[in-house]
């Protein structure tokens, strides 16, 4: 589903990704862990071309991300094609990014109606179903300001799912939430994993990563330090840098 080969990204002199290579199989849940500034979120943003890579190759679902290749040369796709491809990838951010002037249902139906030209009646039926799926059937007419952080994040997940993505990216989606609201969001993500959704999850929730992740990748300073089966990496890490990081995280 995802294949990255020697992906590099820099912002000016700052090298954020230093030749990252990894693969994610269909229906696999891969959790990216590591200290702040290690390049995890930047990699997610490269996967759906919110950031352009400066070197290497990145494929999603068999297609080069943001580019096409002809006669050995790489050409950037027009913005319209990039947007079409991006609609195959759902992304949920740390901040909910909901439209404040739209109800929960309005937020969920906006993408299918505008981007995929789904008829209004069909979009509403689908939106209601998705909000019910994330436990918000009773909140469809509420505006974001009247929803808790956990509820807003669940609307954001429903909004991403409305586009019927082949891949879901989650970027620290619980880090802005009060502790008691974290579980309700993680439970929705657990259900998605059980249903076979391919997911890349940047997270500090080690219990979730161990339980739900098929694989955990520990990143530091723009590179992969260690990767393997989720429980193995979290409970019996091999690399000293991984051990130090997990020792600090699991203390709290």
């Amino acid at each position: 589903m995802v294949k990255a080969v020697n992906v590099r990204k820099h912002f000016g002199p700052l090298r954020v990704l230093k030749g990252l290579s990894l693969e994610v199989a269909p229906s696999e849940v891969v959790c990216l862990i590591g200290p702040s500034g290690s390049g995890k979120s930047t990699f997610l943003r490269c996967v759906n071309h919110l950031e352009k890579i400066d070197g290497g190759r990145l494929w999603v679902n068999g297609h080069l991300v943001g580019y096409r290749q002809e006669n050995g040369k790489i050409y950037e796709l027009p913005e319209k094609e990039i947007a079409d491809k991006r609609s195959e990838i759902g992304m949920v951010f740390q901040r909910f990014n909901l439209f404040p002037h739209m109800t929960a249902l309005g937020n969920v139906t906006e993408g299918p109606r505008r981007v995929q030209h789904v008829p209004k009646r069909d979009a509403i039926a689908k939106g209601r179903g998705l909000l019910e799926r994330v436990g918000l059937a009773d909140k469809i007419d509420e505006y974001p300001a009247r929803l808790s952080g956990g509820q807003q994040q669940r609307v954001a997940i429903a909004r991403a799912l409305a586009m019927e993505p082949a891949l879901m990216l989650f970027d620290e989606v619980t880090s802005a939430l009060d502790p008691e609201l974290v579980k309700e969001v993680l439970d929705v993500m657990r259900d998605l994993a059980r249903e076979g959704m391919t997911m890349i999850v940047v997270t500090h929730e080690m219990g979730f990563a161990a339980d739900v992740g098929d694989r955990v990748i520990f990143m530091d300073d723009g590179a992969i330090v260690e990767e393997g089966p989720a429980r193995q990496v979290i409970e019996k890490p091999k690399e000293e840098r991984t051990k130090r990081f997990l020792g600090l995280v699991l203390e709290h």
Side-chain angles (χ1 to χ4, degrees):
M1 182 64 74
V2 180
K3 182 177 182 180
V5 177
N6 199 25
V7 168
R8 300 184 298 284
K9 176 67 187 173
H10 57 77
F11 297 103
L14 182 64
R15 294 170 65 216
V16 181
L17 297 176
K18 301 175 180 176
L20 208 71
S21 295
L22 63 88
E23 293 186 13
V24 180
S27 298
E28 190 177 18
V29 179
V30 173
C31 294
L32 302 183
I33 66 171
S36 297
S38 57
K40 308 180 303 293
S41 296
T42 298
F43 177 69
L44 280 199
R45 293 175 66 82
C46 290
V47 170
N48 72 351
H49 207 63
L50 289 174
E51 299 286 356
K52 296 178 187 179
I53 62 176
D54 295 309
R57 295 282 190 276
L58 189 50
W59 291 266
V60 172
N61 229 357
H63 302 289
L64 270 178
V65 174
Y67 301 90
R68 62 184 167 83
Q69 189 165 347
E70 274 184 23
N71 303 323
K73 288 190 173 180
I74 289 285
Y75 301 91
E76 188 165 11
L77 293 174
E79 190 54 47
K80 170 81 170 69
E81 278 187 61
I82 290 172
D84 287 345
K85 293 285 183 214
R86 192 179 285 139
S87 70
E88 298 171 8
I89 305 169
M91 186 157 182
V92 185
F93 300 86
Q94 181 176 346
R95 297 284 165 196
F96 323 122
N97 295 343
L98 297 179
F99 298 118
H101 62 290
M102 291 183 182
T103 63
L105 185 60
N107 268 279
V108 174
T109 58
E110 179 73 357
R113 289 185 62 197
R114 280 189 181 271
V115 179
Q116 298 173 331
H117 308 296
V118 173
K120 182 177 180 180
R121 179 189 291 180
D122 295 346
I124 287 173
K126 183 178 181 184
R128 285 177 180 274
L130 285 167
L131 287 168
E132 186 174 338
R133 180 174 171 186
V134 299
L136 293 173
D138 58 336
K139 301 291 184 185
I140 60 171
D141 295 321
E142 295 285 6
Y143 288 88
R146 292 178 55 87
L147 299 173
S148 71
Q151 290 168 338
Q152 289 187 59
Q153 197 58 292
R154 284 185 282 155
V155 173
I157 293 172
R159 179 176 65 178
L161 292 173
M163 301 298 286
E164 297 183 358
L167 168 70
M168 285 287 285
L169 309 175
F170 294 90
D171 188 12
E172 296 280 15
V173 295
T174 58
S175 59
L177 300 179
D178 293 333
E180 65 267 25
L181 301 178
V182 168
K183 182 179 181 298
E184 63 190 47
V185 174
L186 293 181
D187 283 349
V188 171
M189 293 167 66
R190 283 176 204 276
D191 288 344
L192 284 177
R194 275 195 289 268
E195 291 164 13
M197 175 63 75
T198 312
M199 295 159 56
I200 306 178
V201 183
V202 172
T203 186
H204 280 106
E205 301 288 340
M206 295 304 143
F208 173 85
D211 288 346
V212 181
D214 295 302
R215 237 179 339 136
V216 161
I217 295 174
F218 173 67
M219 287 178 61
D220 190 28
D221 195 27
I224 293 173
V225 175
E226 183 169 353
E227 67 175 297
R231 285 199 174 276
Q232 178 186 304
V233 173
I234 290 171
E235 294 172 7
K236 295 178 181 174
K238 296 183 174 122
E239 301 293 331
E240 282 305 317
R241 182 67 189 90
T242 318
K243 290 176 186 174
R244 278 205 312 278
F245 171 78
L246 288 169
L248 288 169
V249 170
L250 296 173
E251 274 178 18
H252 294 289

